[in-house]
Amino acid sequence: MMDVEEERLCLFGIADCSLLPPTIMVRLITHNLLACHAKDCNANNFPLQFKDVKLEFREADFNPDFLKGFMPKIEWKALVDTARELGDTSLPLEQPEMLDDDFLKNLHHVLLEIHVEEGSMTCPNCNHVYPISNGIPNMLLAEHEIG
Amino acid sequence: MSRPELQAPPEIYYGDAEAKKYTQNTRNQQIQRDMTYRALELLALPSDQPAFLLDIGCGSGLSGEILDEEGYVWAGVDIAPSMLEVALEREVEGDLFLQDIGQGFGFRPGSFDGAISISVLQWLLNAETSHPTSSPPHRLNRFFTTLHSALRNPSRVVLQFYPSSDDQIQLITSVAQKAGFGGGIVVDYPNSKKARKVFLCLLVGGGVGQQQVPQGLQGEEEEDSKARCERRREREKLRTKSGKRKSVKDKDWILKKKELYRKRGKEGVPNDSKYTGRKRRAVF
């Protein structure tokens, strides 16, 4: 886990990052679907913990229909926890029943507009580290880790 | 030259140079584009709901671009870092993962509304090392079981690939069935050597009769799917009855050209006569 001071430092990097040309990154929409796939790592392997992240925000087209269709797939607690870890507190702790426009806008921002550019993801169970570089997570396993 | 999957593993074959070459080749782009549209057609997604798709072996994002155009949100996996680098340069919209599909996916159950894969599956059919996890059946099994669990019920996967024998098709379909998939092989233009395309169309869930394997395209290939040089070759085949090749610059051609020059107002275009386009006698 990152301590608060370190986290703040990472978040300060945001302003500088946003000046860079846009590239693709890991977004929370895929992070929320991603569990560890190493051998015999079957329980408690989700969500992967972000570490030393460099964030970037990039606008995406708002599509309420897609979000509504996607809602049932979301592990809500994992999403809120990860979003808070990355410094975004706009989502409520409990998944709301009513989907109003403000909520959907916040959800859209968290799912599709926060990009993790650099850093790593660590499995909470087996501690396998998936490094992220240039926004592409390296999901390759060593031979002895293949299931 | 033998097929690429027999030359080197994908992450090595698609190095920096080959990745660029592959992406910039307009013929590749065209083929990839056609096959992606066909795969989407076979995927038969409901049109009222924007779907979240997985592009298996997304490479440089040639098919991802089409998914973007069609309004899908997608994630892509590929094993070749150079290809992903090209995808980064091309600024595709989807999330990319560096992943060996033979090692399986880690996506949570029910993550995706569908998956497509263009020209990838044949890469799983070669063993790189003697380790048991490197054998094709093991890798295929890992791939299909984790893919099956990552998909929503009901949904479909369309995988276009180039099998080199019927045994390979047999192996792939049997592993896919063991992983829980329904469905089967769809062959487009089965009688054409060039246009023939093999799609593995896998179904997840759905009761009997609800989901059916679509039909392959029959008959002759479309005009558009022919290569440019193929058409020229055909034209050259048109010879006169005597067996001699027809002269390209015959009387019709000359008359057409002269007409064109006159229309453009060019000066000094010779008049047409019965001698136009006739051969001179040898004594001349």
Side-chain angles (χ1 to χ4, degrees), chain A residues 9 30 54 57 108 114-115 128 139:
Chain A
L9 281 176
T30 34
K54 212 163 95 186
F57 298 115
H108 169 74
I114 300 180
H115 299 254
H128 184 99
M139 306 302 288

Side-chain angles (χ1 to χ4, degrees), chain A residues 27 30 32-33 35 73 139, chain B residues 95 98 103 106 108 113 138:
Chain A
R27 293 175 296 185
T30 34
N32 198 259
L33 300 172
K73 292 181 191 170
M139 306 302 288
Chain B
D95 285 4
L98 178 65
Q103 297 178 347
R108 280 200 295 117
D113 301 315
H138 185 275

Side-chain angles (χ1 to χ4, degrees), chain B residues 27-43:
Chain B
R27 175 130 177 88
N28 274 348
Q29 286 173 5
Q30 184 62 40
I31 294 174
Q32 189 98 7
R33 175 168 279 270
D34 290 346
M35 289 196 299
T36 308
Y37 278 122
R38 177 70 179 137
L40 282 175
E41 193 184 323
L42 291 172
L43 212 52

Side-chain angles (χ1 to χ4, degrees), chain A residues 32-101:
Chain A
N32 198 259
L33 300 172
L34 204 60
C36 180
H37 66 298
K39 189 181 186 179
D40 299 328
C41 184
N42 301 316
N44 188 29
N45 57 356
F46 174 84
L48 304 175
Q49 298 290 327
F50 278 122
K51 219 174 166 190
D52 306 331
V53 291
K54 212 163 95 186
L55 298 181
E56 192 183 305
F57 298 115
R58 185 175 155 209
E59 270 183 45
D61 293 335
F62 181 58
N63 186 342
D65 287 338
F66 174 77
L67 290 173
K68 280 176 196 157
F70 198 77
M71 281 285 285
K73 292 181 191 170
I74 297 174
E75 276 284 340
W76 192 256
K77 192 177 171 317
L79 179 68
V80 176
D81 287 353
T82 313
R84 298 202 168 191
E85 209 177 289
L86 300 181
D88 189 302
T89 52
S90 59
L91 292 179
L93 278 173
E94 292 294 320
Q95 189 164 1
E97 299 284 316
M98 287 286 292
L99 305 176
D100 56 32
D101 233 29

Side-chain angles (χ1 to χ4, degrees), chain B residues 52-173:
Chain B
F52 187 53
L53 300 182
L54 178 64
D55 186 356
I56 302 158
C58 58
S60 49
L62 284 174
S63 32
E65 261 176 8
I66 293 167
L67 298 181
D68 287 340
E69 278 171 29
E70 299 285 310
Y72 297 112
V73 183
W74 59 279
V77 300
D78 205 287
I79 195 177
S82 306
M83 285 295 245
L84 291 173
E85 223 164 86
V86 179
L88 278 177
E89 282 167 22
R90 289 156 59 84
E91 295 183 3
V92 290
E93 295 281 334
D95 285 4
L96 303 176
F97 294 93
L98 178 65
Q99 188 155 23
D100 182 355
I101 58 171
Q103 297 178 347
F105 302 105
F107 295 113
R108 280 200 295 117
S111 295
F112 296 97
D113 301 315
I116 63 163
S117 155
I118 305 297
S119 184
V120 172
L121 221 48
Q122 69 270 12
W123 291 98
L124 281 181
L125 298 168
N126 304 303
E128 304 306 342
T129 68
S130 58
H131 196 270
T133 57
S134 183
S135 78
H138 185 275
R139 285 166 64 74
L140 283 169
N141 183 39
R142 200 61 202 144
F143 168 65
F144 280 123
T145 43
T146 52
L147 176 65
H148 185 270
S149 74
L151 287 161
R152 206 186 56 147
N153 182 354
S155 62
R156 283 187 186 193
V157 192
V158 176
L159 307 117
Q160 183 274 329
F161 69 113
Y162 293 103
S164 55
S165 70
D166 284 347
D167 288 348
Q168 292 190 342
I169 298 182
Q170 191 74 40
L171 174 69
I172 287 173
T173 46

